[in-house]
Amino acid sequence: MKTQQFVVIGLGRFGSSLALQLVDMGCEVLGIDRNEDVVDSMSELLTHTVVADATDEDSLRSLGIRNFDCGIVAIGDDIQVSILTTILLKELGVKKVVAKAISVLHGRALEKLGVDRVIYPERDMGIRVAHQLVTPNLLDYLELSKEYSIVELNVPPCLDGKTLSELNARTRFGCSIVALHTANGILIAPTAMDRLKADDIMVIIGSNDNIARFEDEVVNVNEEG
C-alpha cells in the first residue's frame, strides 16, 4: 500500500500539530513555512521541511507539489496569503486541497475556490469543549454534519452487564453503538450479544436529537436515580 504524502503549508500551532499527527500515522509530510526558525525546529520531526514563500508559484512547482496526495493550507492570520496559496495549489493540480479558515467569510472564500474541505480549528474545538462541559458523561464529540454526530459516552453502572440487544439503542432511540472501548482494547462493530461493562466507552452514531434522547433517557436519568 502506497504511503500517503501530505504537504502542510504553515507550521504554526495548528499546522505543526497536524503535521506531527500525520507522521505518527505513518504518512510522509513536507512542511513549508516562511520562518526559518520554525522550519529548523521541525526539520527532524517531519519527513522533509523547506523554507519557502507559498505564494511563489515557481517555488511550489520546484517542490513537485502536484505529486502530493493532499495539500493542507494551515496559514495563520494572513487571509490574503491563505487564499493565494490555495489558488496556487488548485492551479498546480494538487489532488486534494484542505484549508484552515479563521472566520466564516474566509471559509466562504475558500469554498468558492473549490477546496475539498474547510477546517475551523478554533470553532470546532469550541464546539467539542462546550458539549463536554454541558454533558459530563461525554468524552468526545465529532460533528459529521449539522444533524449527525459521533460521540463517546461512558457506560453508566445501570447498563453494566446488559447486552446490546437488551439495550436495543437502534430501535428505541434511532442511534447505533458502532464500537466499544474496553479494558481489552477496542471492539469495532460489536454484535447484539456483546455485553456492556461499567466504565467502558460506547462510540455512538446518530442524529443529534436521537443521541440527546439516548443520553437523557438512559445515561443521565439512571445516574440521577
Side-chain angles (χ1 to χ4, degrees):
M1 183 176 174
K2 178 180 175 291
T3 301
Q4 292 190 72
Q5 296 179 315
F6 292 82
V7 54
V8 178
I9 301 174
L11 296 175
R13 283 183 300 176
F14 171 71
S16 59
S17 175
L18 178 58
L20 291 171
Q21 183 62 43
L22 289 169
V23 169
D24 285 345
M25 295 171 70
C27 304
E28 293 183 4
V29 178
L30 166 63
I32 299 176
D33 200 283
R34 286 179 171 179
N35 188 314
E36 187 172 348
D37 291 336
V38 169
V39 170
D40 286 345
S41 70
M42 299 292 290
S43 62
E44 295 184 6
L45 303 174
L46 306 182
T47 314
H48 303 287
T49 52
V50 175
V51 178
D53 178 357
T55 63
D56 184 333
E57 182 175 350
D58 291 336
S59 293
L60 294 183
R61 196 185 297 276
S62 69
L63 291 169
I65 290 295
R66 69 187 307 273
N67 298 318
F68 284 81
D69 298 305
C70 180
I72 301 165
V73 182
I75 293 167
D77 296 335
D78 196 326
I79 292 177
Q80 180 175 332
V81 173
S82 166
I83 289 173
L84 290 175
T85 301
T86 301
I87 290 171
L88 284 178
L89 293 187
K90 296 294 290 185
E91 288 184 346
L92 290 171
V94 177
K95 303 177 186 72
K96 181 178 181 180
V97 178
V98 174
K100 169 189 171 181
I102 60 175
S103 69
V104 173
L105 192 59
H106 184 196
R108 286 179 186 164
L110 292 169
E111 287 171 357
K112 289 183 182 298
L113 294 174
V115 301
D116 297 279
R117 182 177 176 188
V118 177
I119 300 172
Y120 298 86
E122 290 82 6
R123 183 202 68 178
D124 293 347
M125 181 54 70
I127 290 172
R128 293 173 76 176
V129 171
H131 277 271
Q132 290 166 348
L133 291 173
V134 170
T135 310
N137 292 296
L138 185 67
L139 302 177
D140 205 356
Y141 167 91
L142 177 63
E143 184 180 85
L144 299 176
S145 69
K146 289 184 178 180
E147 292 82 25
Y148 289 87
S149 301
I150 296 177
V151 304
E152 290 185 348
L153 288 168
N154 270 326
V155 175
C158 62
L159 296 182
D160 188 33
K162 288 187 178 294
T163 64
L164 294 185
S165 176
E166 290 173 313
L167 179 58
N168 201 13
R170 183 190 292 270
T171 300
R172 293 172 61 197
F173 304 102
C175 50
S176 300
I177 298 173
V178 295
L180 292 171
H181 287 272
T182 72
N184 297 320
I186 185 168
L187 179 62
I188 303 295
T191 70
M193 299 315 295
D194 283 313
R195 292 187 182 276
L196 297 167
K197 185 176 179 182
D199 293 329
D200 280 354
I201 299 168
M202 303 176 282
V203 181
I204 303 171
I205 186 171
S207 72
N208 297 332
D209 289 343
N210 286 342
I211 291 174
R213 195 159 57 88
F214 176 83
E215 292 176 44
D216 289 341
E217 296 185 22
V218 176
V219 180
N220 296 339
V221 166
N222 282 281
E223 286 217 335
E224 289 168 3

